[in-house]
Amino acid sequence: MNAYAPTARTKVKRLPKRGQYDRETVHAVLDAAFVCHVGYAIDGQPYVTPTAHWRHGERVYWHGSSASRMLRSLKPGGVPVCLTVTHIDGLVMARSAFNHSMNYRSVMAFGTAQQVVEPEHKLQALEAFVERLFPGRWAELRPVTAQELKATTVLWLDLGEVSAKVRSGPPHDDEADLDWLCWAGVVPIGLTRGLPIPDAHVTPGAGLPAYLAQ
Amino acid sequence: MNAYAPTARTKVKRLPKRGQYDRETVHAVLDAAFVCHVGYAIDGQPYVTPTAHWRHGERVYWHGSSASRMLRSLKPGGVPVCLTVTHIDGLVMARSAFNHSMNYRSVMAFGTAQQVVEPEHKLQALEAFVERLFPGRWAELRPVTAQELKATTVLWLDLGEVSAKVRSGPPHDDEADLDWLCWAGVVPIGLTRGLPIPDAHVTPGAGLPAYLAQ
């Protein structure tokens, strides 16, 4: 039942010193996810908070509104965090319970979380967040007010120490189990988007934007 | 860009003292997920590990193979953890960046992780894990050996202090923004299963089991 023993494992420590392929893997895993899980500890008590994130170069940003405990504990030097992103790609079904697994892609990033202070930097980060999901939408939106910007917290972490793990492919059964009378293989799993649902107030003329049309 | 400010929020503290509805919400969120993210801290450094989990009554179990750091730090009294499960249900697109959000369901459970020690308890827990995903599969598998059981680590956490959060429904724009010329609504998101892919060794006669047919 070794559900998280990857067969193809990429460990990337001190990312900037590693090759392009590893960095691309880390970026791709981060970029394909809507949310990450940010872990931090206060007085030895761990907290794991789901939060929307986005990447710019070798830096990951996330939205801090739900992490108020963490924000209160933020010191000038930052706070140690572990930011994890996980995609489940399939259920891997072997002929023994022990060899069952999952196909997945995950990234763990360790470092010190910092708060974005300068309003201009914060605005740029938020624009990148919206544009990552919906290219072109930022310009369509009612502009951000100074008050809203002040009420929004953005945190960041440099991609220094990063670990990527990927498992893909069929189950790996023991040789002796291969003729066991039991179905074995992979059930693919993935996130899919459904058809956009307009709200009750959509203005005539505000049709479905290109970034939402398939 | 209040991506994690839920409009409908259920806080369940000290779960067993709360109503049936809240407990059902917590259970449903836990049961609908393939993996959780377990957070723990060692010497102030947080770690967030994705792991397959399953629930039995008011207890959550998870597979400990990937948490070796944590296992090494396990003391007889257990180790404080935060176990978080998150489902992303939709991208909530408002007319201002500030009012963008996500529809989601999440549970955070706090407590002390314990390791399953008794082989019989471990075997029962693993059976529950397999049966939760694939009812009827356990009996079809090549039986677990004593060696495999020994090599498998199962951890558990009682659902004592639990917090559930749910956001659903359309965006909540400022009244003054409602006639802004911009599409607004929800893009649904969800996990879907694809068609099962048999491996190269499937024995003639080991057809697709009922628990995988649709």
Side-chain angles (χ1 to χ4, degrees):
Chain A
M1 192 67 54
N2 217 353
Y4 269 87
T7 49
R9 178 178 291 206
T10 316
K11 278 252 184 193
V12 187
K13 291 285 182 185
R14 300 288 164 195
L15 185 71
K17 293 177 187 166
R18 292 293 180 108
Q20 191 60 32
Y21 171 73
D22 287 342
R23 184 176 297 160
E24 279 175 5
T25 300
V26 168
H27 290 179
V29 170
L30 290 172
D31 293 353
F34 295 112
V35 296
C36 64
H37 283 81
V38 178
Y40 54 98
I42 299 176
D43 298 332
Q45 171 63 56
Y47 296 87
V48 177
T49 307
T51 316
H53 73 281
W54 62 104
R55 182 184 62 84
H56 182 76
E58 295 300 322
R59 188 168 280 187
V60 183
Y61 291 89
W62 68 96
H63 192 266
S65 69
S66 65
S68 53
R69 279 189 222 87
M70 185 230 230
L71 291 180
R72 284 195 299 271
S73 79
L74 258 184
K75 295 180 183 79
V79 63
V81 296
C82 172
L83 186 151
T84 300
V85 161
T86 308
H87 303 271
I88 301 300
D89 295 327
L91 306 176
V92 180
M93 302 168 67
R95 292 156 183 88
S96 62
F98 191 73
N99 286 318
H100 275 61
S101 186
M102 283 195 190
N103 283 337
Y104 69 97
R105 291 160 289 144
S106 79
V107 160
M108 292 171 75
F110 299 92
T112 304
Q114 308 281 349
Q115 196 168 348
V116 176
V117 178
E118 306 81 14
E120 190 55 34
H121 181 185
K122 203 192 280 184
L123 198 63
Q124 284 169 1
L126 293 174
E127 177 175 350
F129 179 21
V130 170
E131 290 292 308
R132 162 174 115 86
L133 293 172
F134 318 112
R137 185 166 178 83
W138 185 257
E140 301 170 356
L141 296 173
R142 189 265 291 148
V144 176
T145 68
Q147 197 181 359
E148 287 174 342
L149 200 59
K150 202 175 169 184
T152 304
T153 304
V154 177
L155 299 164
W156 57 268
L157 170 70
D158 276 330
L159 289 174
E161 190 172 352
V162 182
S163 159
K165 293 182 189 173
V166 175
R167 194 221 184 270
S168 60
H172 298 295
D173 272 299
D174 300 352
E175 193 75 22
D177 293 339
L178 287 178
D179 60 353
W180 192 267
L181 189 67
C182 172
W183 190 91
V186 173
V187 179
I189 289 178
L191 273 187
T192 52
R193 291 193 188 194
L195 290 176
I197 304 165
D199 78 0
H201 309 285
V202 164
T203 313
L208 197 67
Y211 49 79
L212 289 184
Q214 239 345 334
Chain B
M1 192 65 56
N2 218 351
Y4 270 88
T7 51
R9 178 178 292 204
T10 314
K11 279 255 185 189
V12 187
K13 291 285 182 184
R14 300 290 164 193
L15 184 73
K17 293 178 186 167
R18 290 295 179 105
Q20 192 60 30
Y21 172 74
D22 287 342
R23 183 177 299 161
E24 280 174 5
T25 301
V26 167
H27 290 180
V29 170
L30 290 172
D31 294 351
F34 294 112
V35 296
C36 64
H37 283 80
V38 177
Y40 54 98
I42 299 175
D43 299 332
Q45 172 63 55
Y47 296 86
V48 177
T49 308
T51 316
H53 72 281
W54 62 103
R55 182 184 63 83
H56 181 76
E58 296 300 322
R59 188 168 280 187
V60 184
Y61 292 89
W62 67 96
H63 193 263
S65 70
S66 65
S68 53
R69 280 187 221 91
M70 185 230 232
L71 292 180
R72 284 195 298 270
S73 80
L74 259 183
K75 295 178 183 79
V79 62
V81 297
C82 174
L83 184 151
T84 299
V85 161
T86 308
H87 303 272
I88 301 301
D89 296 326
L91 306 175
V92 180
M93 302 170 67
R95 292 155 183 87
S96 63
F98 191 73
N99 286 319
H100 276 61
S101 186
M102 283 192 190
N103 284 337
Y104 69 98
R105 292 160 288 144
S106 79
V107 159
M108 290 170 75
F110 299 93
T112 304
Q114 308 282 349
Q115 197 169 347
V116 177
V117 179
E118 305 80 15
E120 190 55 34
H121 181 185
K122 202 191 280 184
L123 198 64
Q124 284 169 1
L126 293 174
E127 177 175 351
F129 179 22
V130 169
E131 289 293 307
R132 161 175 116 84
L133 294 172
F134 317 113
R137 187 167 177 81
W138 185 258
E140 300 170 359
L141 296 172
R142 190 264 293 150
V144 176
T145 67
Q147 196 181 1
E148 287 174 343
L149 201 59
K150 200 174 170 186
T152 305
T153 304
V154 176
L155 299 163
W156 57 267
L157 170 71
D158 276 329
L159 289 174
E161 189 170 354
V162 182
S163 159
K165 294 182 187 171
V166 176
R167 195 220 183 271
S168 59
H172 298 294
D173 272 299
D174 301 351
E175 193 73 23
D177 293 341
L178 286 178
D179 61 352
W180 191 267
L181 189 67
C182 173
W183 190 91
V186 172
V187 179
I189 289 178
L191 273 187
T192 52
R193 291 193 189 193
L195 290 176
I197 305 165
D199 78 0
H201 309 284
V202 165
T203 313
L208 197 66
Y211 50 78
L212 289 183
Q214 242 342 336

